Amino acid sequence: MNSILNGLDWVVLGLYFLALIAVAVWVILKKNKNTEDYFLAGRNVGWFVIGASIFASNIGSEHVVGLAGTGAESGMPMAHYELHAWIVLLLGWLFLPFYIRSGAFTMPEFLEKRFDTRSRWFLSVFSLVGYVLTKVSVTIYAGGIVVSELLGIPFWYGAIGIVVFTGLYTIVGGMKAVIYTETLQTVILILGSVIITYLGLEQVGGWSELRATVGSEHFNMWRPMSDPDFPWTGLLFGGTVVGVWYWCTDQYIVQRTLAAKNIKIGRRGAIFGAYLKILPIFIFLIPGIIAFALSKQGVLSYDRADEVFPVMVKTLLPTGLKGLVAGGLMAALMSSLASVFNSCSTIFTIDIYKKLKPDMPEKKLLRIGRIATAIVVVLGIIWIPIMEKIGGGTLYKYLQSVQSYIAPPITAVFVLGILWKRVNAKAAIVTLMSGLVVAVLRIAAELSVESLSGVAHTFATINFAHMAIFMFIFSIIICVSVSLATQAPNYERIKGLAFGTLSEGQQQDNKDSFDTIDVILSVVLVIVVIGVLTYFTG
């Protein structure tokens, strides 16, 4: 295999890795004193670092490559998911005050404080299995492909090398190493992607020429409700259900904001992260559309959609900048991988091990956290040959649909649990368990769809985003019905964890936790989101 990089590119890439190692070493030298230090960076992280870390955790190499490929193949519909920036605001304004007030390290721990131990165990085990089988495996597989393509080395060398390198600084440095290296990686990733977007637009002849070349349909986010892949109803409403689960209740993302020293800093980090979340439309999705235009103009060619971003790097970028963008792609991979390693370690140590052995001293818990991270790293490597056999692209699409089935019950329990104090522990666990049963039935039906007919066939073939809507409504009905049919929770025990249980002092603290600038920035972001939604109509 031949690398697309030349001499100067290797120098740039080498400098990037040196900078990354320097940041990791600097953080590691500031030793972790306890579990709060290791898992939440001592709850003393600034808003800029939190926002950058939220963005870097979300954007993996498969996200960059997949989004550009989708842009080339289908145009703008997937922008709906990138406009979930407003949901990141929801994390800062609605959810975060309750999370920080609870003092929880993890989302399962918050569920125990709000409901009971059963909900905590359910979400702990569910999250851990889900992370290892989905986030870790997909990121490693896609990352192995990206690294082998960029550096011209065999897939196995690329995959194992990047996993071991990322795993090492995550194990030793914990959340501090993850969150500060992600800040550097965010800057590199955005800078490299902005350059490729600019050069691509210049090559195609400008924005007007781009629209004229690809046609209006490629610039239309709003496909008919009957569209088999991108119905606007599913993307707008079903996507929101999945978005609230991912951005507001998933340990993978929320852990970044919990590292803030107070609600105000955490919220500002979420607001900054929300602004960064809009960028993928313009630095990943639009480049895909540009590649489609350039292929129509005969400037470049590609065989598969997933090749679009690497082909653009190879065709458009001069020597030196290729190294920068290669660093950006690897940054995307390593930041996502480090985040999931750390989240798995946190959930296992705090929600499972500490729950089983509550008297374990802090030093032993730190060691368990490092061992847990190492085990996840090993499991990720073991999973690689299985991923190779299954096939990355198909599986990634499948996993995206699976998220639409697992998100609705969790979203319902968190949203209702915070908004309505009457929701009790029994309603929470019944909703989570019944949602899991429906999700398993749907996945099983999908796998055996050819042998089904009638209602069962309809259940198996309904669009996954529409399925998320129906499952969310079902979960809401279950949660409300069980709550009303059973005894109300002890409001004194859940004080400060739901609206209606806040003391006067807590209400005042909420009011004091934001300034006019926070409100203005949030309103401006919502206006930008609405502007993008109304502009891309074909």
Side-chain angles (χ1 to χ4, degrees), residues 64-121:
V64 176
V65 172
L67 209 51
T70 304
E73 201 168 42
S74 312
M76 287 301 296
M78 286 300 283
H80 278 282
Y81 286 101
E82 303 315 308
L83 288 174
H84 282 169
W86 71 270
I87 300 177
V88 188
L89 290 182
L90 209 58
L91 167 62
W93 286 100
L94 175 62
F95 291 86
L96 187 61
F98 292 96
Y99 294 158
I100 289 183
R101 198 180 293 119
S102 74
F105 274 59
T106 67
M107 293 300 92
E109 187 183 359
F110 175 79
L111 279 192
E112 181 181 42
K113 289 172 182 282
R114 175 60 181 86
F115 300 115
D116 65 0
T117 306
R118 292 173 299 175
S119 300
R120 179 176 186 167
W121 274 107

Side-chain angles (χ1 to χ4, degrees), residues 327-480:
L329 279 170
M330 285 196 227
L333 163 66
M334 288 188 290
S335 58
S336 293
L337 215 45
S339 297
V340 76
F341 286 162
N342 191 246
S343 296
C344 286
S345 169
T346 307
I347 287 176
F348 177 79
T349 308
I350 301 298
D351 289 310
I352 295 177
Y353 193 85
K354 192 176 179 181
K355 195 73 183 162
L356 294 171
K357 299 196 174 183
D359 298 325
M360 189 60 60
E362 288 282 308
K363 282 192 175 180
K364 182 73 183 289
L365 285 175
L366 282 179
R367 192 158 69 248
I368 294 298
R370 291 189 170 99
I371 293 169
T373 307
I375 290 170
V376 174
V377 171
V378 172
L379 287 174
I381 293 171
I382 292 171
W383 196 253
I384 292 171
I386 301 168
M387 290 293 299
E388 262 192 315
K389 286 177 184 173
I390 296 172
T394 307
L395 183 65
Y396 183 64
K397 287 179 183 175
Y398 176 67
L399 292 175
Q400 288 296 93
S401 67
V402 169
Q403 287 188 340
S404 296
Y405 314 144
I406 65 176
I410 297 173
T411 300
V413 166
F414 271 90
V415 170
L416 283 177
I418 283 173
L419 293 181
W420 190 34
K421 66 178 183 178
R422 183 65 176 77
V423 179
N424 57 26
K426 187 167 282 187
I429 194 63
V430 169
T431 304
L432 292 170
M433 293 300 294
S434 58
L436 179 61
V437 169
V438 175
V440 169
L441 288 174
R442 164 65 189 219
I443 293 167
E446 271 190 24
L447 295 173
S448 56
V449 66
E450 292 175 3
S451 61
L452 301 176
S453 60
V455 176
H457 186 269
T458 304
F459 176 72
T461 54
I462 188 171
N463 179 274
F464 67 85
H466 282 155
M467 190 69 196
I469 301 171
F470 296 134
M471 283 187 66
F472 182 66
I473 294 169
F474 169 75
S475 298
I476 291 287
I477 292 169
I478 292 285
C479 197
V480 171

Side-chain angles (χ1 to χ4, degrees), residues 491-538:
Y491 295 131
E492 198 56 40
R493 192 186 77 81
I494 62 167
K495 197 162 193 171
L497 302 182
F499 281 109
T501 68
L502 298 177
S503 66
E504 285 186 15
Q506 288 168 338
Q507 290 176 29
Q508 187 58 47
D509 286 343
N510 268 354
K511 290 175 184 174
D512 295 339
S513 71
F514 62 88
D515 298 326
T516 307
I517 187 68
D518 300 318
V519 178
I520 291 171
L521 286 171
S522 300
V523 171
V524 168
L525 182 90
V526 172
I527 292 169
V528 170
V529 169
I530 293 170
V532 174
L533 285 169
T534 51
Y535 178 79
F536 289 102
T537 54

Side-chain angles (χ1 to χ4, degrees), residues 195-382:
I195 290 168
I196 205 166
T197 305
Y198 173 77
L199 292 176
L201 266 178
E202 198 172 51
Q203 183 76 43
V204 88
W207 188 257
S208 301
E209 186 62 30
L210 175 65
R211 293 199 65 145
T213 305
V214 301
S216 62
E217 191 58 17
H218 243 63
F219 275 81
N220 186 12
M221 288 175 61
W222 303 89
R223 303 291 164 86
M225 201 189 302
S226 56
D227 189 289
D229 298 315
F230 305 111
W232 72 268
T233 42
L235 293 176
L236 191 62
F237 300 113
T240 297
V241 172
V242 176
V244 172
W245 162 73
Y246 181 84
W247 291 104
C248 302
T249 75
D250 194 1
Q251 183 70 21
Y252 183 65
I253 296 295
V254 176
Q255 191 169 344
R256 273 103 206 95
T257 56
L258 295 181
K261 61 182 172 185
N262 55 44
I263 293 171
K264 177 181 271 189
I265 297 297
R267 181 183 291 118
R268 284 191 177 166
I271 293 170
F272 179 49
Y275 273 92
L276 293 178
K277 178 59 187 162
I278 295 176
L279 288 178
I281 295 173
F282 303 101
I283 62 176
F284 304 137
L285 196 60
I286 295 292
I289 298 176
I290 291 169
F292 178 64
L294 290 174
S295 70
K296 290 185 80 171
Q297 293 176 352
V299 176
L300 56 76
S301 63
Y302 50 88
D303 298 321
R304 294 181 297 112
D306 285 347
E307 294 176 1
V308 165
F309 204 87
V311 166
M312 286 188 78
V313 172
K314 189 175 181 178
T315 309
L316 298 179
L317 294 184
T319 301
L321 285 180
K322 283 180 188 173
L324 183 69
V325 175
L329 279 170
M330 285 196 227
L333 163 66
M334 288 188 290
S335 58
S336 293
L337 215 45
S339 297
V340 76
F341 286 162
N342 191 246
S343 296
C344 286
S345 169
T346 307
I347 287 176
F348 177 79
T349 308
I350 301 298
D351 289 310
I352 295 177
Y353 193 85
K354 192 176 179 181
K355 195 73 183 162
L356 294 171
K357 299 196 174 183
D359 298 325
M360 189 60 60
E362 288 282 308
K363 282 192 175 180
K364 182 73 183 289
L365 285 175
L366 282 179
R367 192 158 69 248
I368 294 298
R370 291 189 170 99
I371 293 169
T373 307
I375 290 170
V376 174
V377 171
V378 172
L379 287 174
I381 293 171
I382 292 171

